[in-house]
Amino acid sequence: KAILPKKQKSKINPYTAEEAEALFKAVEGTKMEVPVKLATMFGLRREEVLGLRWSAIDFAKRTLRINHTCVLVGNAAVNFNRTKNESSNRTLYMTDDMVAYLKGVKKQQREQQLKQGEYYSYTDYVCIDEYGQQLHPNYISERFREILKKNGLRHIRFHDLRHTCASLLMNHGYQLKDVSSMLGHSTITTTADIYGHLDDERMRDIAEKMGSVL
Protein backbone atom coordinates (compact mmCIF):
# COMPACT_ATOMS: atom_id res chain seq x y z
CA LYS A 1 0.00 0.00 0.00
CA ALA A 2 3.04 2.24 -0.04
CA ILE A 3 2.93 5.22 -2.37
CA LEU A 4 5.86 4.91 -4.72
CA PRO A 5 7.94 8.05 -5.28
CA LYS A 6 7.62 9.70 -8.66
CA LYS A 7 10.57 9.36 -10.96
CA GLN A 8 12.59 12.57 -10.91
CA LYS A 9 12.89 14.17 -14.31
CA SER A 10 16.36 15.15 -15.45
CA LYS A 11 16.72 18.89 -15.83
CA ILE A 12 17.30 19.95 -19.41
CA ASN A 13 20.61 21.67 -20.00
CA PRO A 14 20.78 22.85 -23.63
CA TYR A 15 23.67 24.63 -25.28
CA THR A 16 23.38 28.07 -26.82
CA ALA A 17 24.04 28.48 -30.54
CA GLU A 18 27.53 29.76 -29.74
CA GLU A 19 28.28 26.79 -27.49
CA ALA A 20 27.00 24.39 -30.15
CA GLU A 21 29.32 25.96 -32.72
CA ALA A 22 32.27 25.55 -30.34
CA LEU A 23 31.31 21.91 -29.85
CA PHE A 24 31.18 21.33 -33.62
CA LYS A 25 34.74 22.65 -33.88
CA ALA A 26 35.86 20.41 -31.02
CA VAL A 27 34.54 17.21 -32.61
CA GLU A 28 35.63 18.03 -36.16
CA GLY A 29 37.57 15.16 -37.69
CA THR A 30 36.75 12.73 -34.85
CA LYS A 31 34.39 9.74 -34.69
CA MET A 32 32.07 11.92 -32.61
CA GLU A 33 31.55 14.52 -35.32
CA VAL A 34 28.69 12.75 -37.10
CA PRO A 35 26.80 11.68 -33.93
CA VAL A 36 27.05 15.18 -32.44
CA LYS A 37 25.84 16.90 -35.60
CA LEU A 38 22.94 14.49 -36.09
CA ALA A 39 21.79 14.85 -32.49
CA THR A 40 22.03 18.64 -32.55
CA MET A 41 20.66 19.37 -36.03
CA PHE A 42 17.75 16.92 -35.89
CA GLY A 43 17.09 16.53 -32.15
CA LEU A 44 17.74 12.79 -32.26
CA ARG A 45 18.01 10.52 -29.25
CA ARG A 46 21.25 8.57 -28.81
CA GLU A 47 19.57 5.33 -29.90
CA GLU A 48 18.23 7.06 -33.02
CA VAL A 49 21.63 8.50 -33.92
CA LEU A 50 23.34 5.13 -33.66
CA GLY A 51 20.49 3.34 -35.42
CA LEU A 52 20.50 5.62 -38.47
CA ARG A 53 21.37 3.69 -41.64
CA TRP A 54 22.39 4.91 -45.08
CA SER A 55 19.44 3.01 -46.54
CA ALA A 56 17.14 5.32 -44.53
CA ILE A 57 18.62 8.43 -46.17
CA ASP A 58 17.22 9.64 -49.50
CA PHE A 59 19.55 12.26 -50.93
CA ALA A 60 17.27 12.95 -53.90
CA LYS A 61 14.29 13.76 -51.66
CA ARG A 62 16.57 15.25 -48.96
CA THR A 63 15.02 13.11 -46.24
CA LEU A 64 16.16 10.75 -43.53
CA ARG A 65 13.89 8.20 -41.93
CA ILE A 66 14.04 7.45 -38.21
CA ASN A 67 12.81 3.85 -38.10
CA HIS A 68 15.63 1.85 -36.50
CA THR A 69 17.36 2.17 -33.14
CA CYS A 70 20.40 0.90 -31.24
CA VAL A 71 19.57 0.41 -27.56
CA LEU A 72 21.84 -0.41 -24.64
CA VAL A 73 20.73 -3.64 -22.92
CA GLY A 74 23.04 -4.24 -20.00
CA ASN A 75 26.41 -3.56 -21.60
CA ALA A 76 25.37 -4.86 -25.00
CA ALA A 77 24.27 -2.74 -27.95
CA VAL A 78 21.11 -4.22 -29.47
CA ASN A 79 19.54 -3.07 -32.75
CA PHE A 80 15.79 -2.95 -33.26
CA ASN A 81 13.67 -2.29 -36.34
CA ARG A 82 11.47 -0.02 -34.25
CA THR A 83 11.58 3.28 -32.41
CA LYS A 84 10.70 4.33 -28.85
CA ASN A 85 7.06 4.82 -29.83
CA GLU A 86 4.97 5.11 -32.99
CA SER A 87 5.38 8.89 -33.26
CA SER A 88 9.16 8.52 -33.03
CA ASN A 89 9.06 6.73 -36.39
CA ARG A 90 9.29 9.84 -38.51
CA THR A 91 10.73 11.43 -41.63
CA LEU A 92 12.96 14.49 -41.27
CA TYR A 93 14.10 16.86 -43.99
CA MET A 94 17.66 17.95 -44.67
CA THR A 95 19.06 21.27 -45.80
CA ASP A 96 21.33 21.45 -48.83
CA ASP A 97 24.28 21.87 -46.47
CA MET A 98 23.37 18.72 -44.54
CA VAL A 99 22.91 16.76 -47.75
CA ALA A 100 26.37 17.84 -48.90
CA TYR A 101 27.84 17.04 -45.48
CA LEU A 102 26.41 13.51 -45.32
CA LYS A 103 27.44 12.80 -48.90
CA GLY A 104 30.96 13.77 -47.88
CA VAL A 105 30.78 11.43 -44.87
CA LYS A 106 29.62 8.57 -47.08
CA LYS A 107 32.47 9.23 -49.53
CA GLN A 108 35.02 9.18 -46.69
CA GLN A 109 33.63 5.88 -45.44
CA ARG A 110 33.94 4.35 -48.90
CA GLU A 111 37.56 5.47 -49.07
CA GLN A 112 38.17 3.99 -45.63
CA GLN A 113 36.60 0.72 -46.78
CA LEU A 114 39.06 0.51 -49.69
CA LYS A 115 41.93 1.31 -47.35
CA GLN A 116 41.04 -1.33 -44.75
CA GLY A 117 40.14 -4.01 -47.29
CA GLU A 118 39.19 -7.34 -45.69
CA TYR A 119 39.40 -5.77 -42.22
CA TYR A 120 36.46 -3.51 -42.99
CA SER A 121 32.91 -4.66 -42.19
CA TYR A 122 30.14 -2.86 -44.04
CA THR A 123 27.13 -2.47 -41.75
CA ASP A 124 25.03 0.25 -43.48
CA TYR A 125 25.16 2.31 -40.29
CA VAL A 126 26.09 5.99 -40.52
CA CYS A 127 27.91 6.30 -37.18
CA ILE A 128 30.82 3.89 -37.41
CA ASP A 129 34.52 3.56 -36.62
CA GLU A 130 37.38 3.26 -39.11
CA TYR A 131 36.65 -0.45 -39.56
CA GLY A 132 32.98 0.03 -40.35
CA GLN A 133 31.77 -1.13 -36.96
CA GLN A 134 28.74 0.58 -35.45
CA LEU A 135 29.67 2.87 -32.56
CA HIS A 136 28.67 1.60 -29.11
CA PRO A 137 26.26 3.66 -26.95
CA ASN A 138 28.74 3.70 -24.05
CA TYR A 139 31.46 5.00 -26.35
CA ILE A 140 29.23 7.94 -27.34
CA SER A 141 28.50 8.97 -23.75
CA GLU A 142 32.03 8.48 -22.42
CA ARG A 143 33.81 10.09 -25.35
CA PHE A 144 31.38 13.02 -25.28
CA ARG A 145 32.30 13.77 -21.67
CA GLU A 146 36.00 13.56 -22.49
CA ILE A 147 35.69 15.98 -25.40
CA LEU A 148 33.83 18.56 -23.31
CA LYS A 149 36.41 18.38 -20.53
CA LYS A 150 39.38 18.49 -22.90
CA ASN A 151 38.06 21.56 -24.72
CA GLY A 152 36.83 23.45 -21.66
CA LEU A 153 33.19 23.26 -22.75
CA ARG A 154 30.29 23.39 -20.31
CA HIS A 155 29.32 19.91 -19.13
CA ILE A 156 26.07 18.56 -20.53
CA ARG A 157 24.80 15.08 -21.35
CA PHE A 158 24.79 13.82 -24.93
CA HIS A 159 20.98 13.77 -24.65
CA ASP A 160 21.07 17.53 -24.02
CA LEU A 161 22.00 18.00 -27.68
CA ARG A 162 18.42 16.95 -28.40
CA HIS A 163 17.28 19.64 -25.98
CA THR A 164 19.64 22.09 -27.67
CA CYS A 165 17.89 21.49 -30.98
CA ALA A 166 14.47 22.05 -29.41
CA SER A 167 15.45 25.23 -27.54
CA LEU A 168 17.10 26.77 -30.61
CA LEU A 169 14.00 26.06 -32.68
CA MET A 170 11.73 27.64 -30.08
CA ASN A 171 14.03 30.65 -29.74
CA HIS A 172 13.59 31.19 -33.47
CA GLY A 173 9.80 31.25 -33.23
CA TYR A 174 8.77 27.65 -33.88
CA GLN A 175 5.72 26.51 -31.95
CA LEU A 176 5.51 23.58 -29.53
CA LYS A 177 3.57 21.57 -32.13
CA ASP A 178 6.37 21.96 -34.69
CA VAL A 179 9.04 20.98 -32.17
CA SER A 180 6.94 18.03 -30.96
CA SER A 181 6.68 16.62 -34.49
CA MET A 182 10.38 16.99 -35.17
CA LEU A 183 11.41 15.32 -31.90
CA GLY A 184 8.91 12.50 -32.35
CA HIS A 185 7.07 12.98 -29.06
CA SER A 186 3.95 10.89 -28.55
CA THR A 187 1.90 13.97 -27.61
CA ILE A 188 2.37 17.72 -27.57
CA THR A 189 1.79 17.48 -23.81
CA THR A 190 5.14 15.71 -23.51
CA THR A 191 6.80 18.58 -25.33
CA ALA A 192 5.03 21.15 -23.17
CA ASP A 193 6.10 19.36 -19.97
CA ILE A 194 9.74 19.47 -21.05
CA TYR A 195 9.97 22.78 -22.87
CA GLY A 196 6.97 24.74 -21.62
CA HIS A 197 9.18 27.13 -19.65
CA LEU A 198 11.18 27.89 -22.80
CA ASP A 199 7.97 28.78 -24.60
CA ASP A 200 6.99 31.05 -21.69
CA GLU A 201 10.33 32.85 -21.96
CA ARG A 202 9.83 33.36 -25.68
CA MET A 203 6.30 34.69 -25.13
CA ARG A 204 7.58 37.14 -22.50
CA ASP A 205 10.18 38.30 -24.97
CA ILE A 206 7.47 38.86 -27.58
CA ALA A 207 5.45 40.88 -25.06
CA GLU A 208 8.50 43.02 -24.26
CA LYS A 209 9.09 43.69 -27.93
CA MET A 210 5.43 44.62 -28.47
CA GLY A 211 5.65 46.96 -25.49
CA SER A 212 8.63 48.74 -27.03
CA VAL A 213 6.84 49.08 -30.37
CA LEU A 214 3.49 50.41 -29.10
Side-chain angles (χ1 to χ4, degrees):
K1 295 181 180 180
I3 300 176
L4 297 176
K6 292 183 179 180
K7 183 179 179 180
Q8 295 295 316
K9 294 182 179 179
S10 298
K11 185 178 179 181
I12 70 171
N13 192 21
Y15 264 1
T16 63
E18 292 74 21
E19 289 175 313
E21 288 178 5
L23 175 61
F24 285 174
K25 290 181 180 178
V27 298
E28 189 174 352
T30 72
K31 285 181 282 190
M32 288 295 295
E33 180 178 352
V34 178
V36 164
K37 285 196 172 183
L38 288 173
T40 308
M41 299 298 292
F42 297 104
L44 302 185
R45 303 175 177 94
R46 184 182 66 177
E47 61 264 30
E48 294 171 344
V49 168
L50 295 177
L52 182 64
R53 298 173 292 183
W54 288 113
S55 54
I57 297 177
D58 189 325
F59 288 117
K61 294 181 179 178
R62 301 196 311 172
T63 62
L64 54 86
R65 183 76 179 172
I66 307 302
N67 57 5
H68 185 84
T69 54
C70 176
V71 179
L72 191 63
V73 180
N75 288 319
V78 181
N79 291 298
F80 292 101
N81 279 317
R82 58 178 173 79
T83 52
K84 184 177 181 180
N85 49 54
E86 187 176 347
S87 58
S88 295
N89 191 319
R90 61 202 187 277
T91 298
L92 302 173
Y93 292 86
M94 300 182 287
T95 63
D96 290 338
D97 287 344
M98 181 55 68
V99 168
Y101 171 73
L102 288 177
K103 281 184 176 180
V105 171
K106 192 171 187 179
K107 181 181 178 182
Q108 290 176 357
Q109 291 182 1
R110 286 173 178 169
E111 293 172 350
Q112 192 66 28
Q113 183 176 5
L114 292 174
K115 179 181 178 181
Q116 300 294 352
E118 61 180 296
Y119 299 103
Y120 191 94
S121 300
Y122 182 76
T123 60
D124 192 37
Y125 289 103
V126 176
C127 297
I128 57 176
D129 64 16
E130 61 271 28
Y131 296 101
Q133 295 294 326
Q134 182 185 27
L135 295 180
H136 193 279
N138 282 340
Y139 173 85
I140 292 292
S141 298
E142 292 170 7
R143 185 71 182 113
F144 186 68
R145 287 194 295 268
E146 291 172 1
I147 288 174
L148 297 187
K149 185 176 181 180
K150 180 181 178 181
N151 291 275
L153 298 172
R154 180 165 60 88
H155 174 73
I156 62 171
R157 301 167 302 158
F158 184 82
H159 191 74
D160 284 314
L161 297 180
R162 174 172 165 85
H163 297 319
T164 297
C165 175
S167 64
L168 291 177
L169 287 173
M170 295 183 69
N171 286 338
H172 283 80
Y174 289 91
Q175 303 298 316
L176 279 173
K177 185 177 183 300
D178 302 321
V179 175
S180 181
S181 296
M182 184 166 183
L183 298 183
H185 284 157
S186 55
T187 67
I188 193 174
T189 304
T190 301
T191 316
D193 287 344
I194 301 172
Y195 305 111
H197 68 287
L198 295 179
D199 194 52
D200 288 342
E201 291 172 8
R202 188 174 60 83
M203 294 305 291
R204 280 195 293 269
D205 184 55
I206 291 174
E208 291 291 337
K209 289 181 179 178
M210 282 300 295
S212 65
V213 170
L214 299 177

